[in-house]
Amino acid sequence: MKMPRFASALSALLLASGLTLAGAGPARSAGPVYVALGDSYSSGLGAGAYDSASGDCRRSPNAYPALWAAAHHATSFAFAACAGASTTDVVDKQLNRLGAATSLVSVTVGGNDAGFADVMSTCVLHSQATCLSRVAQARDYVDKTLPARLDATYAAIRVRAPRAHVVVVGYPRFYEVPGDCLLGLTDTSRNAIDAAADDLDGVLAKRAADHGFAFADVRRAFTGHELCSGSPWLHSLTLPLEESYHPTAAGQHGGYLPPFGAVA
């Protein structure tokens, strides 16, 4: 065999095995096709540096979906999460970003359905008895009504992204009890709010498992970083008001990104 023909044949063989004449490294696989769905805990409300084009959705490059997509060189990243979104909003306004090529989906939703913003405002502005009553109402909704709404949402995600790995991402507990907060809510109210967050995460985890989805539990990562701790990763009552009780940039990076990355 003449040398030019031999070199050509060798080059073809190496290419077929994922190598090149210039190097012996394997061909780099394409990054994920990632779509991030959900509410303010996914959009990054509270983490700052909002994308002006996202308007009231308050999407932040400091949010865990954007951080993960950048670190893993996503082939494409559709950031559809929007502050204030409910399960209905996810289905009606966000699922159009999914497709047959989508390989990874994250979704945090359910807190707005259960009225947690109203829970917090009620507890801050009213008596302990009124707070506990409103928390009980939210927990009843989470137990009796939310599961069907999540089922409809998760089923719709699967239809739109039939081959995607789907990760349902939960919510942190709000308070360290007892903690360093000397003013504000009573520890009884804080315990009740944390119990409601546990209820919500329990329902999210169960519905995710029943749909074959992964669940990223952020509560352990936030332990020691709740409100009333020495190093909170959540905003307390703050300005602008809409950032209250949402993760800071540190909360997104330290509290959300590792649990999501562990199962993504």
Side-chain angles (χ1 to χ4, degrees):
M1 181 182 292
K2 294 181 179 180
M3 288 302 294
R5 293 179 60 189
F6 174 77
S8 177
L10 177 60
S11 177
L13 177 63
L14 291 172
L15 287 171
S17 63
L19 305 175
T20 68
L21 288 171
R28 181 174 294 178
S29 60
V33 177
Y34 174 29
V35 180
L37 310 173
D39 58 23
S40 54
Y41 280 70
S42 288
S43 74
L45 177 61
Y50 306 116
D51 177 4
S52 60
S54 70
D56 291 340
C57 286
R58 296 291 194 272
R59 299 186 189 106
S60 170
N62 298 319
Y64 78 85
L67 295 173
W68 192 93
H72 291 81
H73 307 290
T75 297
S76 69
F77 172 49
F79 201 0
C82 186
S86 65
T87 53
T88 299
D89 294 321
V90 169
V91 172
D92 291 347
K93 301 176 182 179
Q94 298 182 18
L95 297 194
N96 61 344
R97 308 301 293 274
L98 301 176
T102 304
S103 60
L104 175 65
V105 177
S106 63
V107 57
T108 298
V109 74
N112 289 318
D113 294 74
F116 269 81
D118 184 64
V119 168
M120 296 310 300
S121 63
T122 297
C123 288
V124 168
L125 296 173
H126 298 281
S127 68
Q128 174 179 289
T130 302
C131 172
L132 297 180
S133 176
R134 182 64 185 90
V135 171
Q137 181 184 354
R139 295 179 72 175
D140 186 67
Y141 181 95
V142 166
D143 292 341
K144 296 179 180 177
T145 305
L146 185 60
R149 290 182 176 270
L150 294 172
D151 282 340
T153 302
Y154 296 166
I157 290 171
R158 178 52 72 213
V159 168
R160 290 293 195 102
R163 291 186 288 275
H165 176 58
V166 182
V167 180
V168 174
V169 188
Y171 297 89
R173 298 185 183 98
F174 283 3
Y175 293 102
E176 181 178 278
V177 184
D180 295 333
C181 295
L182 300 178
L183 301 175
L185 306 182
T186 65
D187 280 355
T188 299
S189 293
R190 291 173 183 139
N191 274 321
I193 291 168
D194 284 350
D198 285 340
D199 278 357
L200 178 56
D201 280 328
V203 169
L204 292 174
K206 178 62 166 61
R207 302 324 305 150
D210 286 353
H211 286 264
F213 297 168
F215 179 68
D217 191 338
V218 304
R219 287 172 292 181
R220 179 175 295 178
F222 271 91
T223 299
H225 298 285
E226 307 95 328
L227 295 174
C228 303
S229 70
S231 179
W233 284 349
L234 293 160
H235 291 285
S236 185
L237 188 63
T238 189
L239 292 175
L241 284 173
E242 62 266 21
E243 292 188 346
S244 301
Y245 309 111
H246 284 82
T248 63
Q252 288 285 342
H253 185 272
Y256 265 89
L257 183 60
F260 173 64
V263 296

